[in-house]
Amino acid sequence: MTIEQCLATIDLLCTRPFPAEHGRTDVGSGGPGYHIAELGTSAGPGAEDCWDRADTVEECYERGEEVRGRLTGRWGPSDHFGLQTVQLRTETEDIPEPWAHLSACVGDIHLWRTQGNGRWIALGVADRDEADEIRLLVVITEIDPP
């Protein structure tokens, strides 16, 4: 996906109604109060060689920085938000979606709040699970971060 396609997907999800039920969508997944889109994915789950995985992770982070730069031009500087504590809290608290899912696969995010409709936009790289694909994710939600 090009940067322009990434931004078009984000623009679409910033105005699209949220799904009534949890499930797959045309750009990823969603549920009541949120959309999750995959802006880029690796070629497949896991990696035969840890160096290949490291290169793919680096490429996803670089792409994420390009998208972040463009979003910063729109909405100003992002807040950097670590999800480690949120992930730990899921063991003892009921953390709402999409935050519980996001904390399971993404270490940290860049976070903006749009002026028009007050939706949160979170951008991060899902690279925690070595058996899963590496994905550049964007979450658009009306649910406040925990």
Side-chain angles (χ1 to χ4, degrees):
M1 190 179 283
T2 67
I3 297 299
E4 288 72 25
Q5 290 170 320
C6 292
L7 296 172
T9 299
I10 292 167
D11 290 342
L12 172 70
L13 296 179
C14 281
T15 58
R16 179 183 277 185
F18 297 112
E21 302 288 327
H22 298 281
R24 296 293 300 164
T25 68
D26 59 328
V27 295
S29 60
Y34 71 93
H35 299 289
I36 301 174
E38 298 174 356
L39 301 179
T41 60
S42 59
E48 296 294 321
D49 183 338
C50 67
W51 296 112
D52 290 341
R53 183 170 176 83
D55 289 344
T56 303
V57 168
E58 186 175 325
E59 289 170 15
C60 273
Y61 276 101
E62 288 171 3
R63 172 58 59 91
E65 284 300 307
E66 291 178 55
V67 173
R68 184 174 72 87
R70 298 284 288 275
L71 296 179
T72 296
R74 292 179 178 188
W75 298 315
S78 62
D79 289 323
H80 188 252
F81 191 80
L83 295 175
Q84 177 81 21
T85 303
V86 175
Q87 182 187 28
L88 293 172
R89 288 172 51 199
T90 62
E91 296 174 13
T92 59
E93 295 178 44
D94 186 24
I95 302 295
E97 293 299 346
W99 302 107
H101 171 76
L102 200 58
S103 71
C105 58
V106 177
D108 60 286
I109 57 172
H110 290 279
L111 190 64
W112 295 266
R113 185 127 195 213
T114 62
Q115 296 296 327
N117 57 16
R119 291 183 176 187
W120 293 97
I121 291 84
L123 180 70
V125 175
D127 64 347
R128 282 192 169 175
D129 185 351
E130 292 184 18
D132 198 2
E133 290 190 64
I134 301 161
R135 297 162 300 172
L136 176 59
L137 298 178
V138 66
V139 172
I140 289 50
T141 184
E142 63 186 6
I143 301 163
D144 290 339

